[in-house]
Amino acid sequence: MKFKYYPAFILAAFIVTGCGMEGLPLAEDTDGGSRASTLQAADIASSGSQASTEISNGSFPLGSQASGAGASESTDLGGGSPGPSASAGNTSSSGSAESFAALHGALSVKGTSLTDQNGSSVRLYGMSTHGIAWFPQYVSYDAFRTLRDDWNTNCVRLALYTDEYNGYSNGGNQEELKSLVKEGIDYATDLGMYVIVDWHVLNDRDPNVHKEDAVGFFREISSLYGDHTNILYEICNEPNGSTTWDNIKSYANEVIPVIRENDADAVILVGTPTWSQDIHQAAASPLEFDNVMYTLHFYAATHTDDLRSRLETCVSEGLPVFISEFGMCDASGSGGNDFGQAEKWMELMDKYQISFCCWNLANKAETSSVLKSGCDKTSDWADDDLSESGRWIRERFRGQTE
Ligand code: IDC
């Protein structure tokens, strides 16, 4: 067991100012005006209005948005309750006294599968946080414990936005954000879960825009956690716009060696062009590193047969794919859920044993948030605390086997 325990340090009174996501620049936004908007969360928390979004061609436009945020201004980090040792019982999938991450240990990519320390293939599944800068209250031991024990998940994804308002490379307090990432890793480690550190490229479109920050960030995190076997690095969430696979490759060829200096065999997830939909481009020209998986993201009310058949083709031809983000709703993160399409995606992921994370653990007033916008609880959610998305995906996780 190679876990090193870092005492979880608590960000006392991590105050999020101007954290309303309405202040975020939009991917498709050409109106600089929205960038300047710094609505206070409290001003908008009650609005509850949903984004009205135009979806075209199955791609992912972040259309005009006016959804309310459920983030609280002054944040409770869940009390920072001390975790049990990493060998604490895990009532989730394994049913063993040993934790899931202890049981499976260091992962590697063999063919299209994630493979554990014993050579068996293993699937990771769980929730992605929303942007941790805006919703830090869910980066807590108790939230993750609930996801492990009640939702039957074995993995959590920490989404660190880069270029959105107050993101890591756009005004965010980098030290506080890194502390939050470290806390999240520590909580997941204590709970014997795997954890994905997601450098959430979105508004920046091309990961090269903030490459220097990415290099510094991943150097630091991998130097602290290089001996952990439960951490995966996702180096660019969703390149988009005119970003090409060659642009992404050139970024990956710089960032991956930085991580590998400290963590020689970590699994690294790499985003693909067009909001991580163009995995066929990665298949045509893969990276030359071991232990890499390519990400595909889907939103079930937007992406259907075409993207599923692309996934099927690429995986059948040998591409290792990790679905590190998906929603049951449309690509704006709102609109109606399409559970029929979501079920088809689930069946396909089961067929190919693909690992997956669902967007998002938050109480924002948008369809993809799994908590109701009126829910202030940060763990131990009852049925009534969950949104329609939350109720559906929790049921799905509960029935999931590795
Ligand atoms: C959305 C959030 C929304 C936020 C917006 C910021 O749900 O609250 O205002 O980002 O631009 C993605 C992205 C993910 C998006 C999500 C839904 O990875 O950041 O979150 N989505 O739009 N890709 C496809 C959909």
Side-chain angles (χ1 to χ4, degrees):
M1 183 80 207
K2 289 202 293 173
F3 291 124
K4 197 159 63 178
Y5 180 70
Y6 292 87
F9 47 106
I10 309 305
L11 280 178
F14 182 83
I15 306 295
V16 181
T17 50
C19 60
M21 297 293 274
E22 286 59 35
L24 302 183
L26 309 178
E28 296 298 301
D29 180 20
T30 49
D31 168 17
S34 71
R35 288 164 190 267
S37 166
T38 55
L39 285 174
Q40 294 297 313
D43 295 335
I44 37 144
S46 56
S47 86
S49 58
Q50 298 287 331
S52 110
T53 306
E54 200 185 306
I55 303 299
S56 58
N57 300 329
S59 66
F60 161 49
L62 277 178
S64 65
Q65 63 188 82
S67 57
S72 52
E73 285 179 77
S74 152
T75 305
D76 169 14
L77 285 173
S81 35
S85 73
S87 62
N90 179 3
T91 57
S92 67
S93 25
S94 73
S96 147
E98 226 183 338
S99 81
F100 185 85
L103 209 59
H104 294 283
L107 304 180
S108 55
V109 180
K110 300 259 157 50
T112 61
S113 299
L114 265 183
T115 304
D116 74 6
Q117 62 186 0
N118 311 307
S120 309
S121 76
V122 65
R123 280 176 91 185
L124 303 185
Y125 46 90
M127 286 302 304
S128 173
T129 66
H130 201 293
I132 58 171
W134 303 288
F135 295 93
Q137 64 269 41
Y138 303 107
V139 181
S140 82
Y141 179 83
D142 286 327
F144 295 179
R145 171 188 50 73
T146 306
L147 294 175
R148 184 190 74 170
D149 295 343
D150 190 31
W151 293 45
N152 185 41
T153 66
N154 57 32
C155 170
V156 63
R157 176 184 191 237
L158 302 170
L160 177 64
Y161 277 88
T162 50
D163 197 64
E164 270 69 6
Y165 179 75
N166 269 351
Y168 190 89
S169 302
N170 186 12
N173 182 323
Q174 299 191 347
E175 291 310 312
E176 288 181 349
L177 289 168
K178 278 187 289 194
S179 294
L180 209 46
V181 169
K182 292 175 207 167
E183 281 184 44
I185 298 170
D186 291 339
Y187 294 134
T189 303
D190 291 343
L191 287 157
M193 299 171 85
Y194 287 87
V195 58
I196 299 171
V197 177
D198 160 39
W199 183 253
H200 204 85
V201 168
L202 184 62
N203 186 63
D204 22 357
R205 298 187 172 129
D206 183 336
N208 290 295
V209 171
H210 297 300
K211 187 180 66 191
E212 293 317 315
D213 280 351
V215 164
F217 172 78
F218 283 115
R219 177 171 286 126
E220 181 171 339
I221 297 296
S222 62
S223 75
L224 290 172
Y225 294 97
D227 63 349
H228 278 46
T229 55
N230 64 326
I231 182 167
L232 294 83
Y233 302 88
E234 182 171 0
I235 62 173
C236 51
N237 167 52
E238 289 184 357
N240 61 85
S242 55
T243 307
T244 63
W245 176 238
D246 276 349
N247 298 146
I248 299 167
K249 279 183 91 171
S250 130
Y251 167 82
N253 284 333
E254 286 195 54
V255 173
I256 292 176
V258 168
I259 297 172
R260 288 283 160 79
E261 252 175 55
N262 297 315
D263 195 342
D265 44 21
V267 172
I268 295 177
L269 310 182
V270 183
T272 52
T274 319
W275 296 281
S276 289
Q277 293 168 42
D278 291 348
I279 50 170
H280 55 298
Q281 295 182 14
S285 174
L287 291 161
E288 285 171 12
F289 298 95
D290 292 335
N291 292 337
V292 163
M293 298 185 104
Y294 303 91
T295 68
L296 177 136
H297 291 174
F298 72 82
Y299 280 76
T302 302
H303 308 115
T304 60
D305 290 334
D306 288 352
L307 197 56
R308 275 195 295 271
S309 95
R310 179 180 293 168
L311 174 62
E312 192 147 23
T313 306
C314 288
V315 176
S316 316
E317 288 172 0
L319 190 75
V321 176
F322 195 123
I323 299 198
S324 57
E325 188 186 298
F326 73 92
M328 290 74 74
C329 61
D330 71 36
S332 72
S334 252
N337 281 312
D338 188 334
F339 295 124
Q341 289 293 337
E343 191 51 47
K344 289 188 180 179
W345 276 104
M346 290 289 167
E347 283 163 15
L348 191 61
M349 292 193 288
D350 283 349
K351 180 173 174 190
Y352 290 101
Q353 294 291 294
I354 294 172
S355 297
F356 57 93
C357 290
C358 177
W359 184 259
N360 68 70
L361 177 64
N363 65 350
K364 186 167 175 175
E366 62 179 4
T367 314
S368 54
S369 276
V370 295
L371 305 176
K372 282 184 181 161
S373 58
C375 171
D376 289 331
K377 283 160 68 177
T378 51
S379 69
D380 301 286
W381 303 287
D383 290 1
D384 258 9
D385 298 321
L386 305 183
S387 67
E388 185 188 53
S389 302
R391 287 194 298 276
W392 192 86
I393 195 65
R394 189 188 60 176
E395 265 329 282
R396 206 60 184 65
F397 283 138
R398 283 177 172 177
Q400 193 69 42
T401 50
E402 289 154 45

